[in-house]
Amino acid sequence: MKTKVCELCKMEETTLYRVQIKKGKIWIFVCESCCNKSKNLPDYRYGGTWKGYRH
Ligand SMILES: [Zn+2]
């Protein structure tokens, strides 16, 4: 099982969400709770889900 580190809270997770939280083309991977918090941001964009256990 693969993991990635959430770029906001630095927790290691097996499922992360590809999101933009700032204007521009920078995508980051965040955990579910950070993804939910980021949804309130005006520049939030969702770009897909990453699952470590598929590989
Ligand atoms: Zn997080």
Side-chain angles (χ1 to χ4, degrees):
M1 191 181 276
K2 286 187 181 178
T3 58
K4 270 187 197 293
V5 175
C6 169
E7 295 209 21
L8 296 178
C9 70
K10 310 298 182 192
M11 290 283 289
E12 211 175 319
E13 302 282 348
T14 54
T15 301
L16 286 105
Y17 302 88
R18 190 167 171 262
V19 298
Q20 282 184 352
I21 55 171
K22 288 176 189 166
K23 278 198 173 71
K25 288 177 178 159
I26 299 159
W27 292 92
I28 61 168
F29 286 99
V30 299
C31 68
E32 188 175 12
S33 66
C34 290
C35 180
N36 287 331
K37 283 181 220 160
S38 300
K39 279 176 184 163
N40 301 318
L41 297 170
D43 296 318
Y44 169 84
R45 277 182 72 193
Y46 172 75
T49 304
W50 181 89
K51 288 189 171 89
Y53 56 78
R54 271 189 190 166
H55 302 286

